[in-house]
Amino acid sequence: MNNKKVIIIGAGVSGLCAGSYLQMNGYDTEIFELHDTPGGLCTAWDRKGYTFDFCIHWLMGSSPSDAFYGLWNELIDMDTLEFVYHEIFFQIEDAQGNTLRIFTDIERLEEEMKRAAPEDNDRIEEFIGGIRKFIPFAFPLDKAPEVMNPLDWLKMMAKILPYLRAFKKWEKMSAEEFASGCKNPLLRRAILEIFMPESSVFFLLMTLASMHNKAAGYPIGGSLNFAKLIEGNYETLGGKINYKSRVEKVIVEDDCAQGIQLENGDTHRADIVISAADGYSTIFKMLGGRYVNEKLRDYYSGRSKKLTLFPSLIFVSLGVAGTFDDEPHALSFSLNKPLVVDDSMTYEYLPVRIFNFDPSLAPEGKTAITVMLGTYHYEFWVNLREKDREKYSREKERIAAQVVEALEERFGNIKSNLEVTDVATPASIIRYTNNWKGSFEGWQPNPGTLMLRMDKTLPGLMNFYMIGQWVEPGGGLPPAILSGRNVTQMICKRDRKRFTTRVSRSFS
């Protein structure tokens, strides 16, 4: 009996994970990817001996004590990875020389916050109490919500019930709302610098709880290395990836997905099609907008009250001949002069990541440094690159020069030791990932999104599924593996097959 053929659009982490799980469960899969490397936004690039990492700041599930560890270990050998656990998650410095360090140990964090902002003692205790509450919390991950029966839901609710009150409180509160209740300006700034202002505080609490548990470490080698490990596993399982193969159209007959057509006109048939690609392009271009409802129109028109996009980025990367041993790996410091990115964004603080903890990303004695500057004005950068390449280059150089000047003032000896400068823009993100509006992570984890169920199917279309950041609000790698794993369970249930992995028990 022939196995069913599944075509997956996109070799990002979700696509690779879905392909791996489907291969484990007896499906023949083939991935078509527009870029020439795996990982999608989980990526990095090399410049003159330096590697500039775009994605992983920490990986949820880096410790066997965390449920996500078991999931990652179904796809790669986690024992082969070396993780770094930072003492300081983030450091904020204001113009008056005041400093606040966000320690990953919550006892030290509480002490530091009260030292820096004694006037916010009650607010700080409330915040630390929220972290403590979620330290033992573990999401039930084994079974996809789409295949759970009433008994499964009861078991899940029993696990969640002790945390329900705290969850309701923090999940509906935005970082901006929490920060506005802080009297100390440095503490307010710190909260807004760590996460997007619109983000739910719950995600920040869970992140800090995981870091306290040493279950959210950074894997040495970075993002592309991690993506390639998953790619290698997928290919070992018998999966096939076609790079530089942009999908132009999903072939549909009688409201049933039958395959894909590439940009070059080639067609490929399949029993099932899964898009792990950009949501807008999938729905409104590859499928011509024929399979939508009012809810989807609201999501992609900006009318939704819950879903908003992550911005796009200006991503400045520097290779510096120096080690920065005594500096925190992540900090944001006050600028003497605001940095104007474009008409949509001006920065008064500069967020910096110093990869002094990963020797694989730079030659010995040298360091890769990156600066992420968000912008919602993606059209400006796309149009500039298309219509005036010279001005486009000048704008990139202008921003890079201001970043270097600011780093020179803060650290010293940057200009004299600068070996590599690289600037990626929203136009770069769109060229390499096709992400709608150049968003770097899809939908933001806003209040109310954690329990927002986005369908992996489209109304009126059979044999077709969507996975990845466009159906998993909040973005990031944990939802990526869950998305690929869960859609496999959905397909197995539909085909009356027992879902299985190589390392976990099977269940019906």
Side-chain angles (χ1 to χ4, degrees), residues 417-463:
N417 291 301
L418 185 61
E419 295 187 332
V420 181
T421 303
D422 183 83
V423 180
T425 74
S428 311
I429 294 172
I430 291 171
R431 282 168 54 223
Y432 290 113
T433 70
N434 198 36
N435 250 26
W436 187 43
K437 297 186 177 182
S439 172
F440 73 88
E441 233 175 336
W443 307 115
Q444 288 191 41
N446 293 350
T449 59
L450 185 65
M451 298 304 291
L452 178 64
R453 287 277 302 278
M454 298 186 71
D455 293 334
K456 292 182 174 66
T457 57
L458 293 177
L461 182 60
M462 295 181 289
N463 292 347

Side-chain angles (χ1 to χ4, degrees), residues 394-434:
R394 288 200 306 270
E395 282 296 294
K396 293 202 299 181
E397 291 167 2
R398 173 186 65 82
I399 292 175
Q402 290 185 46
V403 167
V404 170
E405 189 65 40
L407 294 176
E408 179 75 23
E409 292 174 1
R410 166 60 177 81
F411 300 106
N413 298 317
I414 296 293
K415 292 180 181 179
S416 60
N417 291 301
L418 185 61
E419 295 187 332
V420 181
T421 303
D422 183 83
V423 180
T425 74
S428 311
I429 294 172
I430 291 171
R431 282 168 54 223
Y432 290 113
T433 70
N434 198 36

Side-chain angles (χ1 to χ4, degrees), residues 32 37 39 65 81 178 182 195 256 270 272 338 376 379-380 443 456 471 494 496:
F32 292 82
T37 53
S65 64
L81 290 172
F178 180 80
C182 299
F195 266 45
C256 183
I272 299 169
Y376 287 98
E379 303 104 319
F380 169 77
W443 307 115
K456 292 182 174 66
V471 294
R494 191 195 71 167
R496 298 182 179 181

Side-chain angles (χ1 to χ4, degrees), residues 142-201:
D142 195 42
K143 207 165 186 180
E146 292 89 350
V147 305
M148 288 169 60
N149 58 40
L151 181 58
D152 295 324
W153 283 105
L154 285 173
K155 290 179 179 178
M156 185 182 76
M157 289 307 300
K159 292 180 180 179
I160 292 176
L161 193 59
Y163 305 94
L164 195 57
R165 185 176 177 184
F167 169 79
K168 287 182 177 180
K169 171 185 176 179
W170 294 108
E171 201 276 336
K172 69 179 182 180
M173 184 186 300
S174 71
E176 190 168 37
E177 183 182 352
F178 180 80
S180 67
C182 299
K183 301 172 185 176
N184 185 279
L186 188 60
L187 181 58
R188 282 200 306 270
R189 172 62 70 168
I191 297 296
L192 296 177
E193 288 285 321
I194 297 173
F195 266 45
M196 302 291 294
E198 304 89 349
S199 300
S200 167
V201 179

